[in-house]
Amino acid sequence: MNELVPGGNLPLPGGTLTLRVPGLFDVSVLITDESGKVGGDADFVFYNQPTAPGARLRDDTLTIDPARLRTGAARVTVVISPADPGTPLGRLPAPTLHVTNTGGQPLTRFTPPLTQRETVLLLAELYRRGSGWKLRALGQGYADGLAGVARDFGVDIAEDATPAPATVRSASVPRSRSTPSPSSSRTTDPTGFLTLANSARADAGSPPVTLDPRLVSAAQAHASDMAAADRLSTESRDGTSVYQRVTHAGYAYLTIGEHLVSGPRTPAEFVDYCLRTEKARQTLLKRDFTHAGLAQAFNSRSGDVYWTALWTTPLTAGDLARTATEVVDLTNAERARAGLRALAVDPLLTAAAQAHSSDMVARAFYSHTSPDGSQPWDRAAAAGSRRRTIGENIACGQRSAAEVVEGWMNSPGHRANILKPDFTHIGIGFAGGGQSGTYWTQLFGA
């Protein structure tokens, strides 16, 4: 059975699918068209409205028949929230999505990283590709509650009569990424954002960041697209991710964090929001970041202001090797705990692993099988390796070497590769960009 990591996707067979999330969670579904908006309130399936054409919710189990969804449906987003509304998701065991086909055979499983104070998690989405459907693992924390998620997808939620403060909506998920970087030139700070951000960083003991025109350009393009679509998303309407915008602008990064927010009206309100929200604050104050870019765009129909802030560390000579060494050291530490001998770095396996990570970014896929049909052992042989046994782990979207190794160790199939006694050598690949921002490859050999 395939185990997904955040950003991973899987082609789905035809017929009815069953999606189950056991535990102390409420499960909901939002059915949207290509614009990312629902066609009406009937497209919001939850405990008080458990059915819609092609979708049925019963307790912790969703039944989805893509062929029977309403006309124009292009995406089905699975959302979870604590069954006890007063309990943050971070206090509950990590949710696990189980997906089975019409015959009840398991197709995949996805356990996202734990969140902290978020009250809602966009867990996964089914989306149309040509004549078929695919499943993408999301694991995106959301700070504005189930009602806020519903509003962002276009559901009409009744408001209390008492006026409330302006709502801040956020799709901010700090992550880490990578690729090579030319030197950046300075740009001006007409809004005062940089002064505000660096003042907050100084108070926290973090070094200042400088604005980079390439990041500002990428942020403006993404904010404008979100405003035009009137929807927070890491992807534009044409499928371009915010991370691809950064690399297309010519900026190659080792680490990246992003804030995708609507609600604040000024840079001061934006920075204030970041300081009041745990994950957003962590990104704003992260010591590793050296460059930033901020942009905003206005939707005249809804009156919402959409913000994109990008925070990065450029990739410099030695960073790629240092990151790969961290992954190897953490992998060997896990093997040592299991009483196994350490793996030695193999330059040929490293070359094959790096080529695969870079290829996944360049050709926009995430799989052990390349678009040309090559498998891990084919790529190892093409790099010149003559090792008899080859194994491979891949992952995308993780923010650090520690996070990716932890994710692999929490997945039975990936863990088995890391702890396989027969393996003697390893190579690591790491590239930034693509839909998920970071692509990792572990290639093992014996």
Side-chain angles (χ1 to χ4, degrees):
M1 178 178 62
N2 186 7
E3 297 225 11
L4 293 177
V5 296
N9 62 74
L10 178 75
L12 295 170
T16 302
L17 302 163
T18 299
L19 297 82
R20 180 171 177 261
V21 186
L24 302 174
F25 306 103
D26 282 333
V27 182
S28 310
V29 161
L30 290 148
I31 300 166
T32 57
D33 54 24
E34 293 288 357
S35 73
K37 296 293 186 180
V38 298
D41 292 354
D43 284 346
F44 182 27
V45 178
F46 65 117
Y47 48 85
N48 280 341
Q49 184 172 274
T51 61
R56 181 178 182 85
L57 171 64
R58 185 171 183 177
D59 298 326
D60 61 2
T61 301
L62 288 162
T63 304
I64 304 290
D65 184 351
R68 294 184 59 245
L69 294 170
R70 66 163 175 85
T71 302
R75 194 176 301 263
V76 178
T77 303
V78 181
V79 182
I80 64 164
S81 54
D84 176 5
T87 303
L89 284 169
R91 295 184 184 175
L92 298 176
T96 297
L97 173 68
H98 301 265
V99 184
T100 57
N101 64 13
T102 303
Q105 288 83 26
L107 293 176
T108 191
R109 181 170 58 192
F110 170 53
T111 303
L114 287 173
T115 60
Q116 298 299 318
R117 295 183 180 177
E118 282 86 349
T119 55
V120 174
L121 192 71
L122 306 187
L123 186 58
E125 62 182 8
L126 285 72
Y127 60 102
R128 188 190 297 275
R129 276 295 179 267
S131 60
W133 286 76
K134 300 181 76 173
L135 174 76
R136 178 184 290 119
L138 297 178
Q140 179 177 305
Y142 205 99
D144 199 21
L146 187 58
V149 173
R151 287 190 194 95
D152 285 354
F153 280 75
V155 178
D156 186 14
I157 301 293
E159 298 287 353
D160 294 335
T162 305
T167 298
V168 176
R169 304 197 315 252
S170 169
S172 171
V173 185
R175 300 179 179 179
S176 300
R177 331 283 167 188
S178 102
T179 33
S181 160
S183 60
S184 60
S185 58
R186 292 183 179 272
T187 191
T188 58
D189 180 31
T191 67
F193 161 72
L194 186 64
T195 301
L196 293 165
N198 280 336
S199 176
R201 288 175 64 86
D203 290 343
S206 297
V209 295
T210 58
L211 290 177
D212 185 285
R214 294 163 297 180
L215 296 179
V216 173
S217 173
Q220 187 62 68
H222 196 75
S224 298
D225 195 277
M226 289 195 300
D230 204 12
R231 179 194 178 201
L232 290 168
S233 177
T234 58
E235 290 186 16
S236 300
R237 291 166 295 175
D238 63 359
T240 302
S241 75
V242 65
Y243 319 116
Q244 287 173 310
R245 289 193 184 280
V246 173
T247 54
H248 291 169
Y251 189 102
Y253 54 83
L254 174 67
T255 55
I256 190 168
E258 71 282 351
H259 291 123
L260 309 177
V261 177
S262 69
R265 313 298 293 185
T266 66
E269 289 183 9
F270 175 83
V271 172
D272 180 63
Y273 156 74
C274 292
L275 292 173
R276 290 186 288 104
T277 309
E278 182 162 344
K279 280 196 173 181
R281 183 175 66 252
Q282 290 173 358
T283 301
L284 174 65
L285 303 180
K286 186 176 173 67
R287 293 184 58 83
D288 294 350
F289 293 143
T290 59
H291 294 135
L294 177 79
Q296 67 181 80
F298 179 72
N299 182 286
S300 58
R301 298 185 304 277
S302 66
D304 285 338
V305 180
Y306 285 82
W307 299 79
T308 298
L310 299 168
W311 312 83
T312 61
T313 306
L315 188 65
T316 58
D319 284 333
L320 189 61
R322 184 164 57 254
T323 300
T325 297
E326 290 178 19
V327 176
V328 172
D329 289 346
L330 290 166
T331 299
N332 280 333
E334 296 292 349
R335 288 178 65 88
R337 275 191 280 273
L340 300 172
R341 62 180 171 177
L343 302 172
V345 174
D346 182 321
L348 299 178
L349 294 180
T350 298
Q354 183 59 46
H356 189 55
S357 287
S358 299
D359 192 33
M360 286 192 287
V361 170
R363 292 202 275 180
F365 73 98
Y366 176 71
S367 175
H368 295 288
T369 304
S370 299
D372 59 12
S374 63
Q375 300 289 338
W377 43 90
D378 300 319
R379 295 189 288 270
S385 174
R386 295 295 178 264
R387 300 202 175 275
R388 298 184 304 277
T389 304
I390 295 293
E392 183 179 76
N393 287 342
I394 58 174
C396 62
Q398 286 73 17
R399 63 185 65 145
S400 65
E403 185 177 326
V404 74
V405 173
E406 180 183 8
W408 281 327
M409 289 299 294
N410 288 334
S411 166
H414 299 96
R415 179 187 180 94
N417 270 341
I418 288 175
L419 300 183
K420 186 169 181 176
D422 294 347
F423 286 142
T424 57
H425 290 77
I426 190 172
I428 303 298
F430 175 51
Q435 295 295 331
S436 297
T438 334
Y439 290 78
W440 306 76
T441 302
Q442 271 185 324
L443 199 58
F444 304 91

